[in-house]
Amino acid sequence: MPSPYRDLRERALEANREIPRRGLAIYTFGNASAFDRARGVLAIKPSGVAYDALRAEDMVVLDLEGKVIEGDLRPSSDTPTHLVLYRAFRGLGGVVHTHSTYATGWAQACLPIPLYGTTHADHLAEDVPCTAMMSAEAVEREYEAETGTQIVECFRARDPLRTPMVLVAGHGPFAWGATAAEAVYHAAVLEELARMAFVTRTLAPGADRLPAHLVRKHFERKHGREAYYGQARRK
Ligand SMILES: [Zn+2]
């Protein structure tokens, strides 16, 4: 019998394949998942399988409690982080985690990525936030789930749909989106913003952030109610 999760697995596979294609990971670093909110299930990369060997049938399908519904392989060890994010943030259709170099550099420095220019403002209207460093007690509990909790804490006063990315202090970036494809797009954008900000800070350590009126203009023309960037969607 064909799997009812074929499409979901394909979406997860495609997002995972995009990770090395965009230069966001080497070997088995990183993972992506795709979420079907109507059914309450996600498909995620199996643990420790290289990207070029991945097949749709290798994706592991789980419910939001982490129970495996379909798949023979062990899911990514970061699965509990993905579960926490899908449970906490409404409107997510995909989550991506990488150790892409520049974003991880800022995460290791425990620094948010400053909003220096319009490329950044085209995607989010604030610095890319960085979580607090995880405490020894939290690490002792369920480490991967606690990583999710750190992110949720960091978003208490933020809208995860307006700021679809974060740095986990001492670790690396997570990004998400309405679809798995959008999540991996945000992961690639995040790496580029991290790289540009690194160059900016290197050239001018005291560089100012982009003025608020330019931030507003760039963010709103793409994401505001009166957005006019790109082609209008045909109904
Ligand atoms: Zn990691």
Side-chain angles (χ1 to χ4, degrees):
M1 205 175 77
S3 163
Y5 306 113
R6 183 81 208 169
D7 278 3
L8 187 65
R9 284 164 177 250
E10 289 286 350
R11 289 203 292 278
L13 174 68
E14 192 42 44
N16 276 290
R17 284 198 173 145
E18 193 69 2
I19 291 174
R21 251 187 236 145
R22 297 286 164 194
L24 301 175
I26 56 170
Y27 299 109
T28 63
F29 294 15
N31 42 72
S33 65
F35 184 48
D36 180 337
R37 189 162 290 274
R39 287 165 152 164
V41 295
L42 61 142
I44 192 163
K45 180 174 174 279
S47 184
V49 179
Y51 288 103
D52 52 10
L54 279 182
R55 302 167 306 167
E57 52 267 42
D58 297 330
M59 299 296 129
V60 186
V61 180
L62 306 105
D63 67 17
L64 275 189
E65 304 309 314
K67 189 166 105 31
V68 174
I69 300 198
E70 216 179 61
D72 303 322
L73 300 173
R74 239 180 355 165
S76 162
S77 53
D78 289 322
T79 300
T81 316
H82 291 239
L83 294 175
V84 169
L85 296 180
Y86 287 125
R87 287 199 297 254
F89 298 159
R90 295 194 65 80
L92 266 53
V95 170
V96 171
H97 171 50
T98 79
H99 288 197
S100 62
T101 309
Y102 285 85
T104 301
W106 286 91
Q108 291 179 173
C110 301
L111 289 171
I113 302 172
L115 199 177
Y116 282 133
T118 64
T119 321
H120 188 135
D122 280 337
H123 295 92
L124 65 163
E126 61 168 333
D127 293 358
V128 177
C130 184
T131 68
M133 184 61 79
M134 201 186 292
S135 68
E137 297 75 49
V139 174
E140 289 299 306
R141 294 195 292 266
E142 277 185 81
Y143 175 63
E144 290 80 9
E146 289 292 334
T147 300
T149 306
Q150 295 284 112
I151 297 171
V152 173
E153 279 292 316
C154 182
F155 275 74
R156 273 201 189 289
R158 288 190 168 90
D159 177 351
L161 299 182
R162 280 173 72 90
T163 301
M165 53 187 74
V166 70
L167 304 174
V168 175
H171 183 170
F174 278 81
W176 48 81
T179 62
E182 194 180 84
V184 73
Y185 167 77
H186 286 146
V189 166
L190 168 54
E191 177 60 9
E192 194 62 12
L193 299 180
R195 198 156 71 107
M196 289 176 178
F198 174 77
V199 174
T200 305
R201 182 161 282 194
T202 303
L203 293 171
D208 286 331
R209 283 175 170 73
L210 190 69
H213 57 274
L214 270 169
V215 173
R216 256 196 320 274
K217 181 67 187 168
H218 273 264
F219 188 75
E220 296 299 326
R221 73 181 186 150
K222 273 186 113 166
H223 306 280
R225 269 197 297 187
E226 309 288 319
Y228 59 86
Y229 177 89
Q231 304 303 317
R233 248 178 236 148
R234 279 190 209 113
K235 290 270 155 71

